[in-house]
Amino acid sequence: MSDFACLGLLGGFDCTVGDQRYSLPLGTQRLLALLALQEGGTHRSTAAELLWPDSSVARAAGNLRSALWRGRQLGDVPLVENVGPRLRLTRDVHVDVRRTHTGVARALRGESTPDDPHFGALVVALSLELLPSWCDEWLLLERERWDQVRVHALEGIAELLLAEARYLEAMQTALAAVAVEPIRETAHRIVIEVHLAEGNAASALRHYHKYRTQLHRELGVAPSARLARLASTLLPS
């Protein structure tokens, strides 16, 4: 018997207890996902309103009761508990988003290194979208928050890897950040710096021109003066 459950939201919803994966009704998945993203829990009425915004108050409350009944406990592991009128996940539920937040904090404080066996898994997790196939309105803000966390974390980790001359890993991590925010300059600058550190000036200049063209086409603006100065060092005198 396992004494905890694992709830995955990155790349899609997943719920396991020990070696057993559970296929849960959509309403229960949505409730567990909401509680996973609200560490302090949420009021029952708020949960019902967020999850079933087009239903009447009575119907939404009924849907919530059904979702709770199906997902309050899996096997011998309790998933949801009441704290007064609030609902929250129990301590027996491990959430991948929360674990990734903790891993990012440790990495950026220097408490874990690229040689740590979990370091690569952290970069993989940061490359994943939050419940990508879901269209719930309440999830839009949560997804935006996650994207901001992961792009900043990927950039910070890429710079750590660059400083340790782990160029392939730094490049892959920087490009993962570019994939999250394609027009954000910081990640593109790191890509260029990795090329330069490897002695690939032509690749660095090509990436700069590609990014400059993208900015002009999509926003009608130019790269920052800092990035332009970096590129200017690559041009023939």
Side-chain angles (χ1 to χ4, degrees):
M1 182 186 76
S2 174
D3 59 356
F4 64 88
C6 292
L7 195 62
L9 309 183
L10 300 179
F13 185 88
D14 184 70
C15 183
T16 60
V17 177
D19 296 328
Q20 183 172 356
R21 175 173 283 105
Y22 284 84
S23 179
L24 300 172
L26 181 57
T28 301
Q29 292 183 30
R30 294 163 74 217
L31 174 60
L32 293 177
L34 175 66
L35 297 179
L37 295 170
Q38 305 289 331
E39 291 197 43
T42 187
H43 197 283
R44 291 177 66 102
S45 60
T46 301
E49 181 180 352
L50 288 175
L51 296 175
W52 295 279
D54 299 325
S55 300
S56 66
V57 173
R59 181 62 180 272
N63 290 340
L64 178 64
R65 287 193 296 272
S66 177
L68 269 173
W69 178 76
R70 292 174 179 269
R72 189 178 291 276
Q73 182 165 316
L74 296 179
D76 295 320
V77 179
L79 302 186
V80 182
E81 63 183 359
N82 292 82
V83 183
R86 300 179 68 83
L87 300 171
R88 70 181 182 191
L89 295 183
T90 69
R91 294 182 179 179
D92 297 316
V93 183
H94 297 186
V95 181
D96 59 355
V97 176
R98 299 181 186 180
R99 183 172 63 248
T100 303
H101 276 277
T102 300
V104 166
R106 293 187 67 247
L108 297 183
R109 288 197 302 262
E111 296 174 6
S112 64
T113 70
D115 293 321
D116 189 306
H118 301 295
F119 201 90
L122 175 62
V123 174
V124 171
L126 289 167
S127 302
L128 297 175
E129 295 181 31
L130 178 66
L131 297 169
S133 63
W134 290 20
C135 302
D136 301 58
E137 187 173 347
W138 65 268
L139 190 57
L140 296 178
L141 180 58
E142 297 296 340
R143 192 172 283 142
E144 183 177 348
R145 287 173 177 166
W146 169 244
D147 285 348
Q148 288 300 310
V149 167
R150 66 191 185 119
V151 73
H152 281 85
L154 286 166
E155 290 170 353
I157 291 171
E159 289 182 322
L160 291 175
L161 292 166
L162 174 58
E164 295 196 12
R166 301 177 74 124
Y167 300 132
L168 176 58
E169 295 161 277
M171 179 64 76
Q172 291 174 330
T173 305
L175 290 175
V178 169
V180 179
E181 288 284 355
I183 62 173
R184 183 178 165 86
E185 183 171 303
T186 308
H188 287 281
R189 174 178 53 77
I190 297 171
V191 169
I192 292 170
E193 289 174 343
V194 174
H195 281 310
L196 292 176
E198 293 182 299
N200 296 320
S203 296
L205 190 58
R206 182 172 63 246
H207 189 89
Y208 171 77
H209 284 309
K210 181 179 177 181
Y211 175 59
R212 185 180 64 177
T213 300
Q214 179 185 8
L215 275 185
H216 179 73
R217 181 179 64 248
E218 296 186 17
L219 300 176
V221 299
S224 71
R226 176 183 180 184
L227 192 60
R229 285 194 299 272
L230 178 62
S232 70
T233 65
L234 307 175
L235 298 172
S237 57

